[in-house]
Amino acid sequence: MLERITKSITSASIFLAAYFLLNIALRIALPHTLDLDEAEQSFYSQYLLAGYGPQPPFYNWIQYAIVSVTGISMWVLSVPKNIILFGCYLFYGLAAREVLKSRSLAAVAMLSLITLPQVGLMAQRELTHTVALLFATSLFLFGFFRTLRQPTIGSYLLIGIATGIGLISKYNFAILPFAALIAVLPEREWRSRLIDWRLLPAAVIAILIVLPHALWLPDNLLSASAPTLERMTAEHLAPAGLPRIGQGLLSLVIAVLGFVALPIVVIAAAFRRDFFRALSSSSNPMIRVIERMMIISLIAFVGVVLFAGASDIHERWLDPCLLVLPIYLFLKLETADLDLSAGLARFRPVVPVFMVVILSILLFRIVGIQYIGTYTRTNVPFSGYVDELTATRKPVLIVAGTKFVAGNMRLEFPDIPVVIPFFPGAGVPEYADAKGPVLVIWRGETADDPTISPGFANDLARSGIHLQELKTLTLPYLFGDGKRSFSIGYSWVEGGAK
């Protein structure tokens, strides 16, 4: 059965499609409280903007387009994400097929993506913009390898589309096309690809895709870059100078090991001595290009540590640099001209095992939380809050303190505008125009302390909202032991200028 699944990209894709359907079904079955990235998408889906803050807008645009047609729901948040992830695997398989002679090996390389923690688990658990980045990276690799092997106007345009999508998915995607460009230069047979006239329309289409956000970026550079720079520099963890550089380089090494260790161990365990023979076997132009791409990308991150002061590198930031790793490993195995049948037989069962483990983790981290002890945002009982808050009246406008609260309230009240003070969304009903009760709701710094933050209180005052009575609502966590609870703060006010 597993051998038939890995005979071709088509059969492997059908197998993956069934897996992603299971992921959708699981997310729908779990509580509809949104995690941070989901809540952000729920809130932002009210607006079509050229930029939304620290993350580029591609995923937000996709979500807005779908919500505009269907309305907001858990289905609308879960289905597009899984379709995009499926597209990541599919184009990765097509990229593998461009460089691997064996169709079966290409299918296995596609399925092996699930062994990358950032792809298999983390992308399913809570990420959104990174999901778009993974898709763009796979699309770029397909177009890039296709152009090296058999250049056409279509392959060049594919590179342009992928580059445009990648740049407005995550800013760190810019490292990938730069690394690919440099990696090709030493190869005489492929150097002409860089001066081909077809590169011009590819560049044009990439610019057109990026242009709306690029025009927004100069006037909003601080809001777009400050949160990321703050996470990267981790000023509270390391002093300036050599200690920070040392911490940054160590962080990069740990991130690389965390990214590559599991797939390398799994593939090495499956192919055993053949794996180590393949690593020391002869090379070819494609292998050299991929090696240079990965090395140049990592050197770029070293530059970020040395010159931008980054001291805290996250594994997911390496996605565009190291996503190509499984293709590289299987290309090394194929180039070594070894009998891989035994290794493939041992590797094939790994994929369904990973799928079962990932689905089990996604389930148990929510329903088994009382045994783990660390409660997730998805365990916050937002539906219970709504039942309590709206027992006697329904708001015409909701003013939220954070995107986490705003997105969850938006999902619970799909027909009611949800706003955050001074968020630059066009067409947002202002408090002064609200005709009826307005619900102001927030969460505190900790789960059991719903004290309103001074910043949110000041924003409310500047918006003309004066809270008369601050109230607290406390409910136990979903699937908890009943001893721990989560508290929110809220206040009802009447809309209209005072």
Side-chain angles (χ1 to χ4, degrees):
M1 174 65 176
L2 289 174
E3 187 175 354
R4 290 199 299 271
I5 288 171
T6 56
K7 279 295 184 183
S8 68
I9 296 295
T10 302
S11 56
S13 298
I14 295 172
F15 182 61
L16 279 171
Y19 169 67
F20 285 114
L21 286 174
L22 286 175
N23 274 280
I24 294 171
L26 177 61
R27 185 63 188 97
I28 299 302
L30 288 171
H32 287 194
T33 300
L34 306 178
D35 212 325
L36 192 58
D37 277 18
E38 292 174 328
E40 183 180 84
Q41 292 302 319
S42 174
F43 171 64
Y44 285 155
S45 66
Q46 299 174 101
Y47 321 118
L48 179 60
L49 304 173
Y52 295 82
Q55 299 287 2
F58 178 73
Y59 198 100
N60 302 108
W61 289 348
I62 296 294
Q63 198 71 74
Y64 172 85
I66 298 171
V67 171
S68 297
V69 175
T70 65
I72 189 69
S73 69
M74 196 69 245
W75 287 95
V76 171
L77 294 172
S78 180
V79 172
K81 175 178 177 176
N82 281 276
I83 290 175
I84 294 172
L85 268 176
F86 174 72
C88 166
Y89 281 79
L90 178 61
F91 282 111
Y92 195 84
L94 294 174
R97 198 170 66 179
E98 292 296 325
V99 300
L100 295 168
K101 298 175 183 177
S102 168
R103 292 294 184 257
S104 178
L105 208 58
V108 170
M110 176 176 75
L111 293 172
S112 71
L113 266 187
I114 202 167
T115 65
L116 289 171
Q118 291 299 316
V119 181
L121 178 61
M122 298 305 296
Q124 274 294 352
R125 201 180 80 176
E126 59 185 350
L127 303 176
T128 52
H129 298 284
T130 299
V131 170
L133 172 69
L134 292 171
F135 170 80
T137 301
S138 291
L139 186 63
F140 180 89
L141 292 175
F142 173 46
F144 177 66
F145 293 148
R146 179 82 173 180
T147 299
L148 292 183
R149 191 181 67 83
Q150 189 177 358
T152 64
I153 183 64
S155 69
Y156 275 96
L157 290 178
L158 206 58
I159 291 176
I161 293 169
T163 301
I165 292 174
L167 291 174
I168 58 171
S169 295
K170 281 278 196 178
Y171 297 125
N172 59 321
F173 178 86
I175 294 175
L176 178 59
F178 170 78
L181 174 70
I182 302 301
V184 171
L185 283 175
E187 299 298 330
R188 179 177 299 177
E189 63 177 301
W190 289 336
R191 204 176 300 155
S192 61
R193 307 287 195 270
L194 304 178
I195 54 175
D196 194 297
W197 68 268
R198 290 169 289 195
L199 196 59
L200 181 60
V204 170
I205 196 168
I207 291 170
L208 290 176
I209 293 172
V210 173
L211 189 60
H213 183 63
L215 294 175
W216 172 90
L217 196 57
D219 293 331
N220 298 272
L221 193 58
L222 183 61
S223 64
S225 60
T228 301
L229 290 174
E230 184 178 344
R231 288 195 297 270
M232 289 177 64
T233 53
E235 294 179 359
H236 60 291
L237 297 177
L242 289 178
R244 174 171 291 181
I245 292 174
Q247 180 173 309
L249 293 175
L250 178 61
S251 173
L252 176 59
V253 170
I254 293 173
V256 171
L257 291 176
F259 196 103
V260 307
L262 187 57
I264 288 178
V265 168
V266 170
I267 295 174
F271 291 91
R272 301 178 184 177
R273 282 180 293 182
D274 287 344
F275 177 80
F276 298 100
R277 290 172 185 164
L279 290 183
S280 59
S281 66
S282 60
S283 184
N284 65 32
M286 188 65 75
I287 288 176
R288 292 194 297 269
V289 166
I290 295 175
E291 287 173 341
R292 291 190 202 106
M293 285 173 61
M294 292 190 287
I295 292 170
I296 293 167
S297 297
L298 294 178
I299 290 174
F301 270 98
V302 171
V304 171
V305 171
L306 295 178
F307 302 111
S311 59
D312 187 19
I313 305 298
H314 294 193
E315 287 178 32
R316 65 179 179 272
W317 296 348
L318 303 177
D319 284 338
C321 312
L322 299 177
L323 192 70
V324 72
L325 177 69
I327 289 179
Y328 169 75
L329 294 177
F330 283 105
L331 182 58
K332 290 287 287 185
L333 284 164
E334 185 179 64
T335 305
D337 198 23
L338 301 167
D339 181 5
L340 303 178
S341 56
L344 285 173
R346 287 188 290 265
F347 182 82
R348 288 187 182 103
V350 168
V351 174
V353 168
F354 265 78
M355 290 177 173
V356 171
V357 169
I358 289 169
L359 289 169
S360 300
I361 291 173
L362 294 174
L363 175 64
F364 190 75
R365 67 185 286 266
I366 307 299
V367 303
I369 200 68
Q370 58 181 303
Y371 306 108
I372 300 173
T374 303
Y375 288 81
T376 71
R377 295 183 185 91
T378 312
N379 292 101
V380 176
F382 262 99
S383 59
Y385 295 144
V386 169
D387 292 339
E388 294 278 347
L389 291 171
T390 60
T392 58
R393 53 182 162 175
K394 186 178 180 180
V396 299
L397 175 67
I398 297 172
V399 182
T402 64
K403 287 179 285 189
F404 170 63
V405 175
N408 275 284
M409 297 305 289
R410 163 78 168 152
L411 184 64
E412 296 290 342
F413 295 99
D415 300 323
I416 297 174
V418 181
V419 301
I420 293 176
F422 300 105
F423 178 78
V428 177
E430 297 293 341
Y431 167 67
D433 298 326
K435 306 299 182 183
V438 174
L439 175 61
V440 182
I441 183 169
W442 63 90
R443 63 159 298 180
E445 291 296 325
T446 61
D448 56 357
D449 180 16
T451 303
I452 189 169
S453 69
F456 183 49
N458 291 335
D459 286 343
L460 292 173
R462 286 192 292 155
S463 301
I465 303 175
H466 304 284
L467 306 183
Q468 301 298 319
E469 185 179 5
L470 306 185
K471 297 182 180 181
T472 299
L473 182 56
T474 301
L475 292 175
Y477 280 104
L478 300 173
F479 299 107
D481 54 12
K483 299 177 182 178
R484 294 189 60 184
S485 56
F486 192 94
S487 299
I488 61 167
Y490 72 97
S491 181
W492 287 97
V493 295
E494 287 300 317
K498 303 297 183 185

